[in-house]
Amino acid sequence: MGEIHPFYQAHRGAMEATMRQRLDLAETMLRERAHLADLDKVRQDVMDEFEIVLSQMPYVGGATSRMSDFFMRLMGFMAIGRVLRRHGVALPTIGDIEPESYKAQLLTVPEAERLASGRQFMSRENQSLLREQAAKSLANEYPEDFVYDFVEPGPSDSFEFGIDYKACGFCKFAARHGDNEILPHICGLDFEAYATRGIRLERTQTLAGGASHCNFRFSRLGTQ
């Protein structure tokens, strides 16, 4: 096992606490759907695997890059997927458990706080930041990072703005570490992440599915 990058090491305690909460919320599903009896063993296996994942996580700029947060929030699902596969859990079952447990975790945050976060994401100020970060991503300073374009809506479009991911850090990670079969489950988490904040995500294709890019399109869900 390699060394954990100092940036992730500094956030390790919070990430491990998030993983433990996630496993608590998934307990019933792991027992009833995955038919796992020794959940203490599963928990320990996941936390051990998460330590390995932490050592594998690429550094993509730390606090200066918005994508570092994506890695820190979602890469733990790679650990869960790996362990469940080793315990013989079918991929479709993993594909149900991961997004449902993630949604349950997101909903532990008060609604007002979640919706405020969604409004901030959709704000003109954040869109300006996204344009800047998208332009910087094209330099490909960190080979394992995401590369993306900011997409302005056209006259006939109903979305407020979009992002086209032309290279994906999760895809690169999965290819490097043999996680391609559980990679689509990571992609599926995006819909819960945005919906719980009052944002509609429309996406018709992904790099993981063989497309040239992931086409994220964002608009607001109802009146906030």
Side-chain angles (χ1 to χ4, degrees):
M1 186 171 65
E3 294 291 324
I4 298 172
H5 190 280
F7 177 77
Y8 299 125
Q9 185 67 49
H11 294 83
R12 180 174 178 172
M15 287 190 283
E16 289 179 340
T18 294
M19 286 294 291
R20 287 191 289 269
Q21 181 194 39
R22 197 169 283 165
L23 291 168
D24 287 343
L25 293 167
E27 183 173 318
T28 299
M29 289 180 276
L30 293 173
R31 182 181 296 110
E32 297 180 357
R33 298 193 204 175
H35 307 295
L36 298 172
D38 191 351
L39 293 185
D40 288 340
K41 175 67 163 59
V42 172
R43 286 170 180 272
Q44 189 58 55
D45 287 351
V46 169
M47 295 309 294
D48 290 346
E49 190 66 36
F50 184 54
E51 185 174 3
I52 294 172
V53 168
L54 282 174
S55 72
Q56 296 170 337
M57 283 170 59
Y59 179 73
V60 295
T64 65
S65 169
R66 60 183 285 266
M67 306 317 298
S68 296
D69 183 60
F70 281 69
F71 278 135
M72 290 192 292
R73 282 190 290 111
L74 301 181
M75 200 66 87
F77 285 102
M78 289 289 191
I80 294 173
R82 289 176 183 178
V83 169
L84 294 186
R85 287 300 287 150
R86 288 203 294 268
H87 280 266
V89 180
L91 284 171
T93 302
I94 298 173
D96 290 337
I97 290 174
E98 291 197 327
E100 288 186 39
S101 61
Y102 187 44
K103 180 178 181 180
Q105 187 172 42
L106 293 168
L107 291 176
T108 64
V109 177
E111 182 181 37
E113 186 176 331
R114 286 187 278 109
L115 295 182
S117 173
R119 288 192 293 272
Q120 191 282 328
F121 179 79
M122 298 298 293
S123 69
R124 291 186 181 276
E125 292 79 9
N126 191 56
Q127 289 183 46
S128 177
L129 176 63
L130 289 172
R131 287 187 190 91
E132 294 174 9
Q133 295 247 315
K136 289 180 181 178
S137 79
L138 301 179
N140 202 25
E141 180 179 359
Y142 301 99
E144 302 304 309
D145 200 357
F146 297 72
V147 178
Y148 52 100
D149 290 324
F150 185 90
V151 179
E152 306 281 0
S156 61
D157 289 323
S158 59
F159 64 88
E160 294 187 42
F161 68 91
I163 298 176
D164 282 349
Y165 287 95
K166 301 189 293 186
C168 168
F170 291 109
C171 292
K172 296 172 186 178
F173 182 94
R176 179 181 293 273
H177 299 290
D179 297 306
N180 285 326
E181 68 176 4
I182 57 178
L183 176 62
H185 305 154
I186 306 298
C187 303
L189 301 173
D190 293 322
F191 292 95
E192 302 295 352
Y194 289 106
T196 54
R197 290 186 287 161
I199 300 168
R200 175 184 292 107
L201 166 63
E202 295 180 274
R203 188 181 65 201
T204 61
Q205 61 186 45
T206 62
L207 286 160
S212 61
H213 62 280
C214 304
N215 58 342
F216 285 64
R217 300 294 181 265
F218 302 104
S219 55
R220 298 168 204 261
L221 276 172
T223 301
Q224 299 180 53

